[in-house]
Amino acid sequence: MITLETKRRKTEYAIGIDLGGTFIKAALVDSKGKIIKHFKTETYSEISPKKVLSQIEMCIDTLKQDFKKEIIGIGIGAPGIVTKGVMKYPPNFKGWKEVNLKKHFEKKYKTETIADNDANCAGLAELKFGHGSKYNNFIFLTLGTGIGGAMVIEGKIYRGEQNGAGEFGMMTIDYKGPMCLGGNRGSIEAHIGRNYFLEQNKNEIKKLGKNIDFDDISHLALKGNKTAKKLLNLYGFYLGVAVTNYFNLMDVRTAVLGGGISNAYKSFIGELNKTIKTRSLKTIRNKFRVLRSSINNNAGVLGAAALIFE
Amino acid sequence: MITLETKRRKTEYAIGIDLGGTFIKAALVDSKGKIIKHFKTETYSEISPKKVLSQIEMCIDTLKQDFKKEIIGIGIGAPGIVTKGVMKYPPNFKGWKEVNLKKHFEKKYKTETIADNDANCAGLAELKFGHGSKYNNFIFLTLGTGIGGAMVIEGKIYRGEQNGAGEFGMMTIDYKGPMCLGGNRGSIEAHIGRNYFLEQNKNEIKKLGKNIDFDDISHLALKGNKTAKKLLNLYGFYLGVAVTNYFNLMDVRTAVLGGGISNAYKSFIGELNKTIKTRSLKTIRNKFRVLRSSINNNAGVLGAAALIFE
């Protein structure tokens, strides 16, 4: 039905901004999820909020140039907490307290602007243009330096009381476990966030060579290296414990994995699935599925644009 | 607005059945949550499903006797998994596989029958007749032998894909922790389910005397006994870890505690609140509240009847 409606409706255009600490990615996207133009530039987050805003404006201006059709809005995916268009205390942005992105860009461009956190945007991209065509309920997880989550319930992003839902990375799986920066001992992020994982397993990782990063471990595991396989099994186990907590609580049966570390999917999915089977209700333990994101690379800009089409 | 609507509508009546392994509690309830009549009898779950059904019928017949107004439906709260009126493999019911309660009682009494699991019913009672008048989003937790949960989201019980949501007791808080009967190592139920807690802390509990049960510990803690206080602090800590997982994930800020062990609320709430503050996002850590259920004793029958008024 959604597909039919989309077909009937005429194609619309929006700008999607994926605001990261290092780069700003921007794209002009149509309502079917096709990227018409894209542009990428440095964020200069170490300079000032003003500089970041002018960099975003440069992206928007570049995309608008020579495009004759109407652009119905600007969607922005930003790190940290975003409430009613206000981006609050993002990690790694110098001098940034609270900046009202919605107000700033609506004034400047006289077009609707919606901002949300980047995990929700990635989940929304999956919902609108990826596995969402088949699954109405899933959790989308971003696996990288941090562990982000977006909850899709009955075809919509669930946002919670104050747009703060989906802090999946903060879920404690071992209350005695390693400390995370937020003070939440034993959270899933403190186990499988990229740097935490590399640090906690450095003795094993040393066996693989010097300057080994996560991609190296993944490549070595695929080639059959036992130490690398063991490490990724551990990754899959930790993630499995947390995903099962979600499945058991929500009676949702699908998880979709995005973010850089999801590239190692093949190396940890076996242990992940095994963990889910062990820890879920006996009567339904064969009904769960964990999928790779179908639109990993452009999820940020597509999801940001989808805020406008939502 | 809800209150106004309720006032405008004429009072309706339903029967609520709280089906437990040992007793069946039944009540005739009005749509304002007032209990008109109530009745209690043995379940005879050790005999047969047929016997249990006839006991429920006896309850219904007793409540209907001499009541002249229309009864608009029968609500049943039952242990374990209940899907579309079918009660499946309840623990401690002999010879019971799947029984369609809805079909059975609709045929017998020609009136709408709705069955749901007992945790959802208790949560629904709180929503309709308790703290729900003030809070639109909360988790209701039943603290007893098992740990049950009912999730209230935007004024409704959230039921999940197949009415299985809210299995709060299965949430892992220590993947290396004690095993629970369901095979889920380190679940919150394996830490604070009544018998698990007593067993794991038996050495400390011995110091308090012989044949000490949970109520004794609670009484001793209130009198200032240090060992008892330490035990209830531990209870509060474990529960706090799990509740914070919920708050962080859902961006919900209220939990309501019911079930027998919630009587010890005063003895563990301090440590529970401290744990939430330590483990939640810094910016909102003073915004959470954990309340006692306002209708503890009759939650079962009130919630079952509320299935009809929902």
Side-chain angles (χ1 to χ4, degrees), chain A residues 111-161:
Chain A
T111 183
E112 187 186 18
T113 302
I114 303 176
D116 201 347
N117 82 60
D118 43 14
N120 277 349
C121 288
L124 190 57
E126 195 67 46
L127 175 64
K128 292 280 174 195
F129 309 125
H131 292 300
S133 63
K134 196 162 170 196
Y135 301 108
N136 222 16
N137 295 283
F138 61 88
I139 185 156
F140 182 88
L141 296 175
T142 313
L143 307 177
T145 307
I147 305 297
M151 300 161 64
V152 174
I153 297 177
E154 289 171 17
K156 283 182 188 164
I157 301 281
Y158 169 79
R159 289 184 162 87
E161 283 191 44

Side-chain angles (χ1 to χ4, degrees), chain B residues 247-260:
Chain B
F247 287 162
N248 285 340
L249 184 71
M250 301 299 292
D251 188 22
V252 160
R253 296 168 183 203
T254 309
V256 181
L257 308 182

